[in-house]
Amino acid sequence: MRIGIVGTGAMARALGGAWVRAGHEVLVGGRDAGRAAGAAGDAGGARWGGVGQAVAHGRDAVLLAVPHRAAPVVAGAHARSLAGRTVVDCSNPVAEGFALATGRGPSAAERIAAAAPGARVVKAFNLCHASVWDLRPPVFDGRALAVPLCGDDDRALATVAALVRDTGCEPLTAGPLERAHLLEATAALLIGLWVGQGADAQAIAPPLAHAGPHA
């Protein structure tokens, strides 16, 4: 696939590296040429360029690996180019006190979709720190990490599911994009437990065999 990554931080480097190793054509783009070149190099030899170049390159998928407030701005500025493209949002709108910065309003992913109405937005990769995506592969106690996806377009979901598998993880369909706020709230909860309390947040859920029926 041809994948464009907007952003030059840890998520761009980690996911970009996983996709380069899987054989995809990756271009990392940012406003700062030096940071874009550095991130591309850290991703294992991806190409680099500006934001517009990353969007143009991402014929099969565009990852918005930028802060949640910046993502709708980028999407709006490139809405025409993103029309018909699979756009992946991995941001977490977590504010002080581990609260949702979006409050009771639309999710970060829905704000991207509103800014670029022709894009096929999928929420994914937001529940783990970038260091997890550096693992080769992210397998814990013999079980591959599961990655929930929220989106409205079946083709886009299939594309992102394939990219999840290319990281060594297993995709889970978590519903339409309107449920992205649940993924974002889950991230806020987990980060609050992990970072705020140093708790083993994974221990809050029982194994599937003991999950039981829920209304």
Side-chain angles (χ1 to χ4, degrees):
M1 296 187 203
R2 286 170 57 96
I3 304 168
I5 298 178
V6 177
T8 58
M11 288 294 284
R13 296 165 190 257
L15 288 173
W19 294 332
V20 167
R21 291 191 296 274
H24 299 300
E25 298 178 38
V26 178
L27 190 150
V28 178
R31 293 179 298 176
D32 184 297
R35 286 179 59 85
D42 289 345
R47 294 170 57 192
W48 63 274
V51 172
Q53 288 172 290
V55 171
H57 179 82
R59 182 179 62 201
D60 298 295
V62 175
L63 172 69
L64 295 183
V66 296
H68 71 92
R69 288 187 178 87
V73 177
V74 172
H78 298 275
R80 188 170 181 178
S81 297
L82 290 172
R85 301 282 179 96
T86 296
V87 176
V88 185
D89 170 35
C90 65
S91 70
N92 277 319
V94 180
E96 185 178 355
F98 307 106
L100 276 178
T102 50
R104 296 180 180 274
S107 67
E110 289 175 300
R111 295 176 191 210
I112 292 169
R120 299 167 177 173
V121 179
V122 177
K123 187 80 185 186
F125 298 108
N126 72 304
L127 295 185
C128 295
H129 188 269
S131 60
V132 171
W133 309 116
D134 280 326
L135 299 175
R136 305 184 187 185
V139 173
F140 304 95
D141 296 327
R143 183 174 63 176
L145 182 72
V147 180
L149 315 177
C150 287
D152 296 330
D153 185 271
D154 289 342
R155 289 178 59 188
L157 286 166
T159 295
V160 180
L163 292 177
V164 168
R165 293 188 185 97
D166 286 337
T167 68
C169 299
E170 286 296 324
L172 288 178
T173 300
L177 196 65
E178 68 180 14
R179 290 174 62 85
H181 72 101
L182 297 177
L183 279 185
E184 295 172 4
T186 299
L189 173 65
L190 293 177
I191 293 169
L193 292 172
W194 286 325
V195 178
Q197 300 183 34
D200 180 5
Q202 192 177 39
I204 66 176
L208 180 60
H210 297 277
H214 295 278

